[in-house]
Amino acid sequence: MDKRDGIFSPAGVVVDLGAAPGGWSQLALKRVGKAGAVIAIDCLEMEPISGVEFIQDDFTEQSGLQAVEQALAGREVDVVLSDMAPNLSGHAAIDQPAAIYLAELAADFARQRLSKTGCFLVKMFQGEGFDQFRAQLLRDFNKVITRKPEASRSASRECYLLAREPVL
């Protein structure tokens, strides 16, 4: 997706929500380089990645949000990534609303912290609430694209929404 859409830029500031095990953080760090910054948060442990500031906390809790804000130290954010996922129960009626809730929290953070040219990339599962969430992104960002990762099975409902340029 980064090759196709140019998500990261040199010296950019990236916040990776739901970062464990660290794949997105590693890619982001390569793209932003030493002049950039990658701040990653997850409630799960993550192996240290040299150059990535990792916060082990729950982003859905005030303490997690405050830790990210402290790490940002007032800097604008160029990219907000969200790979957050709820603990799955196996029941779509429970899991889908929980996933939408996490996406809404990430989108709210992105709307507040992104630079005017920033982008928000969020993993989603198509289903109840997806269309409404995408419609809200279309109101809040100038561009919204749906991407299906090549690694995702064709039968999977997994996709990513890439929203660019928040409407200020």
Side-chain angles (χ1 to χ4, degrees), residues 130-145:
F130 175 84
D131 291 335
Q132 295 87 339
F133 179 77
R134 188 175 190 286
Q136 184 61 52
L137 289 182
L138 285 166
R139 288 188 290 274
D140 294 338
F141 292 85
N142 287 316
K143 300 174 190 171
V144 178
I145 304 165

Side-chain angles (χ1 to χ4, degrees), residues 75-119:
R75 293 176 287 185
E76 279 191 326
V77 177
D78 298 295
V79 179
V80 173
L81 302 170
S82 178
D83 212 6
M84 291 191 290
N87 292 326
L88 298 176
S89 70
H91 299 287
I94 296 169
D95 296 340
Q96 184 67 12
I100 294 289
Y101 171 72
L102 293 175
E104 287 171 344
L105 286 178
D108 186 51
F109 177 78
R111 282 188 290 270
Q112 293 176 34
R113 298 300 307 202
L114 279 174
S115 68
K116 65 182 176 180
T117 59
C119 71

Side-chain angles (χ1 to χ4, degrees), residues 23-39:
W24 277 113
S25 290
Q26 289 175 337
L27 176 66
L29 185 62
K30 285 181 188 176
R31 299 293 197 262
V32 301
K34 292 183 181 185
V38 178
I39 299 162

Side-chain angles (χ1 to χ4, degrees), residues 57-70:
D57 205 335
D58 186 343
F59 182 76
T60 67
E61 299 292 332
Q62 190 65 27
S63 61
L65 178 59
Q66 286 175 340
V68 171
E69 293 288 351
Q70 184 176 3

